Amino acid sequence: MRVDDVTTDETLMLMEGMVAARHPCQVVTVNPEFIMRARDDRAFREVLESADLALPDGQGVLWAARRLRCPLRERVTGSDTVPRIAALSAARSYRLFLLGARPGVAEAAAVVLAREHPGVQVVGTYAGSPAVEEEAEVTARVIAARPDFLFVAYGAPAQDLWIHRNLTRLGVPVCMGVGGTFDFIAGITPRAPLWMRERGLEWAYRLWQQPWRWRRMLALPVFAWLVLCQHRHARH
């Protein structure tokens, strides 16, 4: 699975370049759950492989890269990138559209971003749906708002497949799936303390907060086992 070796600062620079070029680009945030899902979901894998930028989102990805002797320099998450883009928006008038999450969550996230980054240009918020039959209405709203950045919080793989299907029609320079980021920003879902994130334990905190995720978390030990098997094979 392709993952780009970029830092947060490099990611922001690349995204600003996408805005300047005005060509629609898709950014994906690759973590172990994505990789395991893509093993069995060909459409999702093709979307991840064809993305214009694949961010290393997840300490498990960094661990795997080290084990396989192709280390990545930094973890770059959607949850951290969105506020950084909001700060750039306040400074450079980039236009942001927040799409997805439960009704009212994107609006609440926009209020927080406006409070923390005075001058941020959030030009649209809408819960919408990733359903194909609603695409015409949702894309019309986005196109009318003319954003530079579109953040989509439908959850993976729905958000990434939705962006891929509509990327050309939307014409937005930067489109990125951001999962539960709006919930984090709005304070609806608490994020793991910094010390846990730095030690790669955010998954444990999220499991404690959202025990229904346990089935999805089963992918993590399988991912680790596959990485160790590949590492052992490479040594021999």
Side-chain angles (χ1 to χ4, degrees), residues 188-220:
I188 294 170
T189 302
R191 198 169 178 200
L194 182 60
W195 70 267
M196 294 189 75
R197 302 203 300 268
E198 291 176 341
R199 289 165 175 78
L201 296 174
E202 189 167 11
W203 65 270
Y205 186 85
R206 294 192 71 180
L207 183 59
W208 175 64
Q209 288 282 334
Q210 302 169 324
W212 54 266
R213 297 176 61 92
W214 71 270
R215 289 185 185 275
R216 293 174 58 181
M217 293 297 184
L218 290 177
L220 299 180

mmCIF file of all heavy atoms in Angstrom, residues 188-220:
data_model
loop_
_atom_site.group_PDB
_atom_site.id
_atom_site.type_symbol
_atom_site.label_atom_id
_atom_site.label_comp_id
_atom_site.label_asym_id
_atom_site.label_seq_id
_atom_site.Cartn_x
_atom_site.Cartn_y
_atom_site.Cartn_z
ATOM 1 N N ILE A 188 -17.519 16.850 20.708
ATOM 2 C CA ILE A 188 -18.520 15.801 20.927
ATOM 3 C C ILE A 188 -17.841 14.496 21.310
ATOM 4 O O ILE A 188 -18.311 13.764 22.181
ATOM 5 C CB ILE A 188 -19.377 15.629 19.658
ATOM 6 C CG1 ILE A 188 -20.195 16.893 19.419
ATOM 7 C CG2 ILE A 188 -20.281 14.406 19.759
ATOM 8 C CD1 ILE A 188 -20.884 16.942 18.083
ATOM 9 N N THR A 189 -16.732 14.194 20.655
ATOM 10 C CA THR A 189 -15.923 13.016 20.982
ATOM 11 C C THR A 189 -14.572 13.485 21.486
ATOM 12 O O THR A 189 -13.821 14.114 20.724
ATOM 13 C CB THR A 189 -15.726 12.121 19.748
ATOM 14 O OG1 THR A 189 -16.999 11.711 19.244
ATOM 15 C CG2 THR A 189 -14.915 10.880 20.109
ATOM 16 N N PRO A 190 -14.234 13.237 22.742
ATOM 17 C CA PRO A 190 -12.929 13.669 23.259
ATOM 18 C C PRO A 190 -11.803 12.934 22.538
ATOM 19 O O PRO A 190 -11.909 11.744 22.229
ATOM 20 C CB PRO A 190 -12.976 13.265 24.743
ATOM 21 C CG PRO A 190 -14.417 13.021 25.042
ATOM 22 C CD PRO A 190 -15.049 12.562 23.774
ATOM 23 N N ARG A 191 -10.731 13.651 22.262
ATOM 24 C CA ARG A 191 -9.565 13.023 21.644
ATOM 25 C C ARG A 191 -8.615 12.542 22.729
ATOM 26 O O ARG A 191 -8.584 13.070 23.841
ATOM 27 C CB ARG A 191 -8.861 14.016 20.717
ATOM 28 C CG ARG A 191 -7.928 13.309 19.744
ATOM 29 C CD ARG A 191 -7.418 14.205 18.667
ATOM 30 N NE ARG A 191 -6.491 13.459 17.810
ATOM 31 C CZ ARG A 191 -5.605 14.018 17.018
ATOM 32 N NH1 ARG A 191 -5.523 15.341 16.948
ATOM 33 N NH2 ARG A 191 -4.793 13.289 16.280
ATOM 34 N N ALA A 192 -7.836 11.541 22.401
ATOM 35 C CA ALA A 192 -6.880 10.994 23.366
ATOM 36 C C ALA A 192 -5.899 12.075 23.817
ATOM 37 O O ALA A 192 -5.545 12.961 23.028
ATOM 38 C CB ALA A 192 -6.122 9.827 22.748
ATOM 39 N N PRO A 193 -5.453 12.019 25.088
ATOM 40 C CA PRO A 193 -4.432 12.976 25.543
ATOM 41 C C PRO A 193 -3.189 12.897 24.659
ATOM 42 O O PRO A 193 -2.897 11.850 24.059
ATOM 43 C CB PRO A 193 -4.136 12.507 26.973
ATOM 44 C CG PRO A 193 -5.333 11.713 27.376
ATOM 45 C CD PRO A 193 -5.861 11.073 26.132
ATOM 46 N N LEU A 194 -2.461 13.990 24.599
ATOM 47 C CA LEU A 194 -1.289 14.073 23.728
ATOM 48 C C LEU A 194 -0.290 12.962 24.017
ATOM 49 O O LEU A 194 0.278 12.377 23.096
ATOM 50 C CB LEU A 194 -0.621 15.444 23.875
ATOM 51 C CG LEU A 194 0.603 15.689 22.987
ATOM 52 C CD1 LEU A 194 0.239 15.566 21.509
ATOM 53 C CD2 LEU A 194 1.209 17.054 23.277
ATOM 54 N N TRP A 195 -0.083 12.641 25.327
ATOM 55 C CA TRP A 195 0.918 11.627 25.654
ATOM 56 C C TRP A 195 0.530 10.267 25.083
ATOM 57 O O TRP A 195 1.400 9.474 24.689
ATOM 58 C CB TRP A 195 1.144 11.550 27.163
ATOM 59 C CG TRP A 195 0.002 10.978 27.955
ATOM 60 C CD1 TRP A 195 -1.011 11.661 28.554
ATOM 61 C CD2 TRP A 195 -0.233 9.593 28.237
ATOM 62 N NE1 TRP A 195 -1.881 10.803 29.186
ATOM 63 C CE2 TRP A 195 -1.428 9.532 29.018
ATOM 64 C CE3 TRP A 195 0.433 8.405 27.931
ATOM 65 C CZ2 TRP A 195 -1.954 8.323 29.472
ATOM 66 C CZ3 TRP A 195 -0.079 7.201 28.372
ATOM 67 C CH2 TRP A 195 -1.255 7.163 29.140
ATOM 68 N N MET A 196 -0.769 9.978 25.011
ATOM 69 C CA MET A 196 -1.216 8.712 24.430
ATOM 70 C C MET A 196 -1.035 8.731 22.916
ATOM 71 O O MET A 196 -0.620 7.730 22.316
ATOM 72 C CB MET A 196 -2.679 8.443 24.776
ATOM 73 C CG MET A 196 -2.942 8.213 26.252
ATOM 74 S SD MET A 196 -4.632 7.641 26.582
ATOM 75 C CE MET A 196 -4.527 5.909 26.037
ATOM 76 N N ARG A 197 -1.321 9.875 22.275
ATOM 77 C CA ARG A 197 -1.150 9.974 20.828
ATOM 78 C C ARG A 197 0.319 9.822 20.453
ATOM 79 O O ARG A 197 0.649 9.166 19.461
ATOM 80 C CB ARG A 197 -1.697 11.309 20.317
ATOM 81 C CG ARG A 197 -3.168 11.522 20.638
ATOM 82 C CD ARG A 197 -3.819 12.505 19.709
ATOM 83 N NE ARG A 197 -3.240 13.831 19.727
ATOM 84 C CZ ARG A 197 -3.655 14.830 20.510
ATOM 85 N NH1 ARG A 197 -4.652 14.636 21.365
ATOM 86 N NH2 ARG A 197 -3.095 16.015 20.452
ATOM 87 N N GLU A 198 1.211 10.420 21.249
ATOM 88 C CA GLU A 198 2.640 10.352 20.950
ATOM 89 C C GLU A 198 3.199 8.943 21.122
ATOM 90 O O GLU A 198 4.194 8.592 20.496
ATOM 91 C CB GLU A 198 3.404 11.324 21.853
ATOM 92 C CG GLU A 198 3.135 12.791 21.528
ATOM 93 C CD GLU A 198 3.828 13.731 22.481
ATOM 94 O OE1 GLU A 198 4.220 13.293 23.590
ATOM 95 O OE2 GLU A 198 3.977 14.912 22.138
ATOM 96 N N ARG A 199 2.544 8.134 21.960
ATOM 97 C CA ARG A 199 3.010 6.765 22.210
ATOM 98 C C ARG A 199 2.241 5.715 21.417
ATOM 99 O O ARG A 199 2.368 4.520 21.667
ATOM 100 C CB ARG A 199 2.925 6.455 23.713
ATOM 101 C CG ARG A 199 3.960 7.215 24.530
ATOM 102 C CD ARG A 199 3.655 7.210 26.014
ATOM 103 N NE ARG A 199 4.716 7.854 26.785
ATOM 104 C CZ ARG A 199 4.865 9.165 26.888
ATOM 105 N NH1 ARG A 199 4.037 9.976 26.233
ATOM 106 N NH2 ARG A 199 5.840 9.681 27.601
ATOM 107 N N GLY A 200 1.433 6.180 20.475
ATOM 108 C CA GLY A 200 0.707 5.249 19.628
ATOM 109 C C GLY A 200 -0.434 4.537 20.309
ATOM 110 O O GLY A 200 -0.838 3.441 19.894
ATOM 111 N N LEU A 201 -0.997 5.149 21.368
ATOM 112 C CA LEU A 201 -2.064 4.506 22.138
ATOM 113 C C LEU A 201 -3.431 5.138 21.900
ATOM 114 O O LEU A 201 -4.372 4.869 22.647
ATOM 115 C CB LEU A 201 -1.722 4.570 23.633
ATOM 116 C CG LEU A 201 -0.462 3.804 24.053
ATOM 117 C CD1 LEU A 201 -0.142 4.070 25.514
ATOM 118 C CD2 LEU A 201 -0.623 2.315 23.800
ATOM 119 N N GLU A 202 -3.549 5.960 20.858
ATOM 120 C CA GLU A 202 -4.833 6.604 20.597
ATOM 121 C C GLU A 202 -5.926 5.574 20.321
ATOM 122 O O GLU A 202 -7.077 5.770 20.678
ATOM 123 C CB GLU A 202 -4.707 7.572 19.424
ATOM 124 C CG GLU A 202 -5.945 8.448 19.230
ATOM 125 C CD GLU A 202 -5.706 9.601 18.278
ATOM 126 O OE1 GLU A 202 -4.660 9.612 17.595
ATOM 127 O OE2 GLU A 202 -6.560 10.506 18.221
ATOM 128 N N TRP A 203 -5.542 4.453 19.692
ATOM 129 C CA TRP A 203 -6.523 3.402 19.397
ATOM 130 C C TRP A 203 -7.151 2.864 20.684
ATOM 131 O O TRP A 203 -8.359 2.581 20.728
ATOM 132 C CB TRP A 203 -5.852 2.269 18.622
ATOM 133 C CG TRP A 203 -4.794 1.544 19.412
ATOM 134 C CD1 TRP A 203 -3.465 1.843 19.464
ATOM 135 C CD2 TRP A 203 -4.982 0.429 20.278
ATOM 136 N NE1 TRP A 203 -2.808 0.982 20.322
ATOM 137 C CE2 TRP A 203 -3.719 0.099 20.830
ATOM 138 C CE3 TRP A 203 -6.091 -0.322 20.651
ATOM 139 C CZ2 TRP A 203 -3.539 -0.952 21.726
ATOM 140 C CZ3 TRP A 203 -5.913 -1.384 21.545
ATOM 141 C CH2 TRP A 203 -4.646 -1.691 22.062
ATOM 142 N N ALA A 204 -6.344 2.735 21.744
ATOM 143 C CA ALA A 204 -6.857 2.208 23.011
ATOM 144 C C ALA A 204 -7.837 3.198 23.644
ATOM 145 O O ALA A 204 -8.870 2.803 24.205
ATOM 146 C CB ALA A 204 -5.702 1.914 23.966
ATOM 147 N N TYR A 205 -7.511 4.481 23.546
ATOM 148 C CA TYR A 205 -8.403 5.502 24.099
ATOM 149 C C TYR A 205 -9.725 5.515 23.348
ATOM 150 O O TYR A 205 -10.804 5.597 23.955
ATOM 151 C CB TYR A 205 -7.723 6.871 24.019
ATOM 152 C CG TYR A 205 -8.499 7.984 24.689
ATOM 153 C CD1 TYR A 205 -8.369 8.216 26.060
ATOM 154 C CD2 TYR A 205 -9.360 8.800 23.959
ATOM 155 C CE1 TYR A 205 -9.070 9.231 26.681
ATOM 156 C CE2 TYR A 205 -10.065 9.821 24.570
ATOM 157 C CZ TYR A 205 -9.917 10.029 25.937
ATOM 158 O OH TYR A 205 -10.628 11.042 26.542
ATOM 159 N N ARG A 206 -9.668 5.412 22.021
ATOM 160 C CA ARG A 206 -10.894 5.427 21.220
ATOM 161 C C ARG A 206 -11.736 4.187 21.502
ATOM 162 O O ARG A 206 -12.961 4.250 21.521
ATOM 163 C CB ARG A 206 -10.554 5.515 19.733
ATOM 164 C CG ARG A 206 -9.902 6.839 19.342
ATOM 165 C CD ARG A 206 -9.845 7.027 17.845
ATOM 166 N NE ARG A 206 -11.182 7.272 17.290
ATOM 167 C CZ ARG A 206 -11.403 7.473 16.003
ATOM 168 N NH1 ARG A 206 -10.406 7.423 15.136
ATOM 169 N NH2 ARG A 206 -12.624 7.703 15.564
ATOM 170 N N LEU A 207 -11.077 3.064 21.725
ATOM 171 C CA LEU A 207 -11.824 1.842 22.055
ATOM 172 C C LEU A 207 -12.521 1.984 23.400
ATOM 173 O O LEU A 207 -13.658 1.534 23.579
ATOM 174 C CB LEU A 207 -10.874 0.637 22.059
ATOM 175 C CG LEU A 207 -11.521 -0.729 22.316
ATOM 176 C CD1 LEU A 207 -12.578 -1.026 21.262
ATOM 177 C CD2 LEU A 207 -10.462 -1.819 22.338
ATOM 178 N N TRP A 208 -11.849 2.642 24.344
ATOM 179 C CA TRP A 208 -12.461 2.868 25.658
ATOM 180 C C TRP A 208 -13.650 3.820 25.532
ATOM 181 O O TRP A 208 -14.694 3.619 26.149
ATOM 182 C CB TRP A 208 -11.404 3.440 26.605
ATOM 183 C CG TRP A 208 -11.957 3.829 27.945
ATOM 184 C CD1 TRP A 208 -12.505 3.018 28.884
ATOM 185 C CD2 TRP A 208 -12.024 5.160 28.484
ATOM 186 N NE1 TRP A 208 -12.909 3.746 29.973
ATOM 187 C CE2 TRP A 208 -12.633 5.055 29.763
ATOM 188 C CE3 TRP A 208 -11.632 6.411 28.021
ATOM 189 C CZ2 TRP A 208 -12.845 6.181 30.561
ATOM 190 C CZ3 TRP A 208 -11.840 7.509 28.823
ATOM 191 C CH2 TRP A 208 -12.446 7.388 30.066
ATOM 192 N N GLN A 209 -13.501 4.861 24.706
ATOM 193 C CA GLN A 209 -14.572 5.829 24.515
ATOM 194 C C GLN A 209 -15.720 5.257 23.676
ATOM 195 O O GLN A 209 -16.889 5.595 23.899
ATOM 196 C CB GLN A 209 -14.027 7.079 23.802
ATOM 197 C CG GLN A 209 -13.144 7.952 24.670
ATOM 198 C CD GLN A 209 -13.950 8.817 25.622
ATOM 199 O OE1 GLN A 209 -15.097 9.150 25.362
ATOM 200 N NE2 GLN A 209 -13.346 9.176 26.742
ATOM 201 N N GLN A 210 -15.356 4.413 22.693
ATOM 202 C CA GLN A 210 -16.342 3.875 21.752
ATOM 203 C C GLN A 210 -16.173 2.360 21.652
ATOM 204 O O GLN A 210 -15.621 1.845 20.676
ATOM 205 C CB GLN A 210 -16.155 4.525 20.376
ATOM 206 C CG GLN A 210 -16.279 6.049 20.395
ATOM 207 C CD GLN A 210 -15.835 6.680 19.084
ATOM 208 O OE1 GLN A 210 -14.890 6.228 18.436
ATOM 209 N NE2 GLN A 210 -16.518 7.731 18.676
ATOM 210 N N PRO A 211 -16.641 1.624 22.657
ATOM 211 C CA PRO A 211 -16.420 0.169 22.673
ATOM 212 C C PRO A 211 -17.024 -0.556 21.486
ATOM 213 O O PRO A 211 -16.598 -1.675 21.164
ATOM 214 C CB PRO A 211 -17.077 -0.275 23.991
ATOM 215 C CG PRO A 211 -17.971 0.853 24.396
ATOM 216 C CD PRO A 211 -17.340 2.097 23.863
ATOM 217 N N TRP A 212 -17.994 0.055 20.800
ATOM 218 C CA TRP A 212 -18.572 -0.581 19.622
ATOM 219 C C TRP A 212 -17.560 -0.740 18.495
ATOM 220 O O TRP A 212 -17.793 -1.489 17.532
ATOM 221 C CB TRP A 212 -19.776 0.218 19.120
ATOM 222 C CG TRP A 212 -19.495 1.669 18.850
ATOM 223 C CD1 TRP A 212 -19.671 2.718 19.707
ATOM 224 C CD2 TRP A 212 -18.944 2.230 17.649
ATOM 225 N NE1 TRP A 212 -19.278 3.899 19.110
ATOM 226 C CE2 TRP A 212 -18.843 3.629 17.854
ATOM 227 C CE3 TRP A 212 -18.558 1.689 16.427
ATOM 228 C CZ2 TRP A 212 -18.335 4.487 16.877
ATOM 229 C CZ3 TRP A 212 -18.051 2.547 15.446
ATOM 230 C CH2 TRP A 212 -17.944 3.927 15.684
ATOM 231 N N ARG A 213 -16.408 -0.059 18.602
ATOM 232 C CA ARG A 213 -15.372 -0.154 17.568
ATOM 233 C C ARG A 213 -14.554 -1.433 17.668
ATOM 234 O O ARG A 213 -13.643 -1.646 16.857
ATOM 235 C CB ARG A 213 -14.429 1.052 17.666
ATOM 236 C CG ARG A 213 -15.076 2.399 17.407
ATOM 237 C CD ARG A 213 -14.085 3.535 17.634
ATOM 238 N NE ARG A 213 -12.947 3.449 16.736
ATOM 239 C CZ ARG A 213 -12.882 4.047 15.553
ATOM 240 N NH1 ARG A 213 -13.887 4.787 15.129
ATOM 241 N NH2 ARG A 213 -11.830 3.925 14.795
ATOM 242 N N TRP A 214 -14.860 -2.311 18.622
ATOM 243 C CA TRP A 214 -13.975 -3.452 18.875
ATOM 244 C C TRP A 214 -13.819 -4.351 17.648
ATOM 245 O O TRP A 214 -12.726 -4.885 17.403
ATOM 246 C CB TRP A 214 -14.462 -4.270 20.065
ATOM 247 C CG TRP A 214 -15.717 -5.057 19.838
ATOM 248 C CD1 TRP A 214 -16.988 -4.662 20.044
ATOM 249 C CD2 TRP A 214 -15.806 -6.407 19.349
ATOM 250 N NE1 TRP A 214 -17.882 -5.646 19.722
ATOM 251 C CE2 TRP A 214 -17.182 -6.745 19.293
ATOM 252 C CE3 TRP A 214 -14.864 -7.364 18.956
ATOM 253 C CZ2 TRP A 214 -17.632 -7.984 18.860
ATOM 254 C CZ3 TRP A 214 -15.315 -8.602 18.527
ATOM 255 C CH2 TRP A 214 -16.679 -8.909 18.472
ATOM 256 N N ARG A 215 -14.879 -4.504 16.855
ATOM 257 C CA ARG A 215 -14.749 -5.341 15.658
ATOM 258 C C ARG A 215 -13.746 -4.747 14.670
ATOM 259 O O ARG A 215 -12.948 -5.476 14.063
ATOM 260 C CB ARG A 215 -16.114 -5.510 14.979
ATOM 261 C CG ARG A 215 -17.073 -6.387 15.763
ATOM 262 C CD ARG A 215 -18.369 -6.606 14.979
ATOM 263 N NE ARG A 215 -19.332 -7.348 15.757
ATOM 264 C CZ ARG A 215 -19.369 -8.674 15.838
ATOM 265 N NH1 ARG A 215 -18.481 -9.402 15.191
ATOM 266 N NH2 ARG A 215 -20.276 -9.272 16.575
ATOM 267 N N ARG A 216 -13.802 -3.423 14.512
ATOM 268 C CA ARG A 216 -12.852 -2.771 13.618
ATOM 269 C C ARG A 216 -11.434 -2.895 14.144
ATOM 270 O O ARG A 216 -10.477 -3.037 13.378
ATOM 271 C CB ARG A 216 -13.225 -1.300 13.427
ATOM 272 C CG ARG A 216 -14.525 -1.078 12.677
ATOM 273 C CD ARG A 216 -14.919 0.385 12.656
ATOM 274 N NE ARG A 216 -13.911 1.217 12.056
ATOM 275 C CZ ARG A 216 -14.012 2.538 11.938
ATOM 276 N NH1 ARG A 216 -15.099 3.162 12.382
ATOM 277 N NH2 ARG A 216 -13.047 3.240 11.385
ATOM 278 N N MET A 217 -11.278 -2.837 15.471
ATOM 279 C CA MET A 217 -9.956 -2.911 16.077
ATOM 280 C C MET A 217 -9.305 -4.281 15.905
ATOM 281 O O MET A 217 -8.086 -4.422 16.057
ATOM 282 C CB MET A 217 -10.042 -2.556 17.564
ATOM 283 C CG MET A 217 -10.420 -1.110 17.841
ATOM 284 S SD MET A 217 -9.190 0.061 17.221
ATOM 285 C CE MET A 217 -9.876 1.615 17.812
ATOM 286 N N LEU A 218 -10.099 -5.293 15.590
ATOM 287 C CA LEU A 218 -9.528 -6.617 15.374
ATOM 288 C C LEU A 218 -8.550 -6.619 14.204
ATOM 289 O O LEU A 218 -7.704 -7.513 14.093
ATOM 290 C CB LEU A 218 -10.647 -7.632 15.111
ATOM 291 C CG LEU A 218 -11.536 -7.992 16.299
ATOM 292 C CD1 LEU A 218 -12.635 -8.945 15.865
ATOM 293 C CD2 LEU A 218 -10.712 -8.608 17.428
ATOM 294 N N ALA A 219 -8.684 -5.623 13.336
ATOM 295 C CA ALA A 219 -7.769 -5.535 12.195
ATOM 296 C C ALA A 219 -6.340 -5.248 12.642
ATOM 297 O O ALA A 219 -5.384 -5.615 11.944
ATOM 298 C CB ALA A 219 -8.236 -4.445 11.236
ATOM 299 N N LEU A 220 -6.167 -4.603 13.801
ATOM 300 C CA LEU A 220 -4.832 -4.164 14.222
ATOM 301 C C LEU A 220 -3.878 -5.331 14.512
ATOM 302 O O LEU A 220 -2.754 -5.331 14.011
ATOM 303 C CB LEU A 220 -4.946 -3.232 15.426
ATOM 304 C CG LEU A 220 -5.744 -1.942 15.174
ATOM 305 C CD1 LEU A 220 -5.802 -1.097 16.440
ATOM 306 C CD2 LEU A 220 -5.138 -1.141 14.031
#
